[in-house]
Amino acid sequence: MKELLLVWHSQFGGTAQMAQAAHAGAVATGLVTVSYRHAREAGVDDLLRCDALLIATSENFGSLAGMTKDFLERVYYPCEGRVAGKAYTVLVCAGTDGTGAMFQTDRIATGLALRKVHPGIVYKSGLTAQRQVIPADVLGQCRDVGALLAGGLDAGIF
């Protein structure tokens, strides 16, 4: 069975809600194994073993969250040249913009030669550094992304 790795970090809970929804969507298909790892716990072995990667991050100071960047920094050189072509996409929970986090994540993924198979989701809450409840429609989109990755892996599309 193919494996989807979902790596996430959330400081105020919004990104965690988005990651949980994507996880639920992927698991509900029953088509793939889903590894759900906080960015501080995910590592080289996880990335090498998986068939696709879903990153859920907040945007902090116009870029991806430091803990997410830490994960990518820890795996980058050990995985360079070894994960080329693996499917990936990104979920971003942002206050007002989100483009910086998406751009920086895509830039690192491009260096790893990962293949972006979905444009990703950027949710702009309008809130900065505070707890929030992610709207049901956004969570639905996140569930759909999880299911899409699982289905694509199972069908051999990704």
Side-chain angles (χ1 to χ4, degrees):
M1 188 174 275
K2 295 198 176 179
E3 181 178 341
L4 170 62
L5 173 62
L6 197 161
V7 175
W8 64 278
H9 173 71
S10 185
Q11 188 171 357
F12 295 100
T15 308
Q17 293 168 59
M18 293 171 69
Q20 289 163 358
H23 178 257
V27 168
T29 69
L31 298 172
V32 298
T33 299
V34 183
S35 295
Y36 185 72
R37 304 270 191 274
H38 189 277
R40 73 174 163 264
E41 299 166 352
V44 171
D45 291 340
D46 296 306
L47 187 55
L48 291 174
R49 183 181 59 246
C50 77
D51 299 288
L53 172 65
L54 176 55
I55 296 174
T57 186
S58 57
E59 180 174 64
N60 295 350
F61 304 113
S63 189
L64 69 156
M67 191 66 68
T68 309
K69 187 170 181 288
D70 174 75
F71 159 71
L72 291 167
E73 288 176 348
R74 285 184 286 109
V75 301
Y76 190 89
Y77 290 110
C79 292
E80 189 177 28
R82 299 171 70 190
V83 295
K86 286 188 183 194
Y88 88 98
T89 195
V90 185
L91 307 175
V92 176
C93 186
T96 58
D97 186 19
T99 57
M102 185 66 74
F103 174 78
Q104 291 299 326
T105 306
D106 286 345
R107 187 172 179 206
I108 295 165
T110 297
L112 286 169
L114 298 175
R115 181 171 49 115
K116 194 166 191 181
V117 297
H118 182 277
I121 295 173
V122 175
Y123 169 63
K124 302 173 193 174
S125 68
L127 302 172
T128 302
Q130 56 187 293
R131 297 231 173 258
Q132 59 190 289
V133 175
I134 305 299
D137 65 316
V138 175
L139 296 178
Q141 292 172 33
C142 295
R143 274 190 296 278
D144 291 347
V145 168
L148 173 89
L149 286 173
L153 281 175
D154 181 63
I157 296 168
F158 306 143

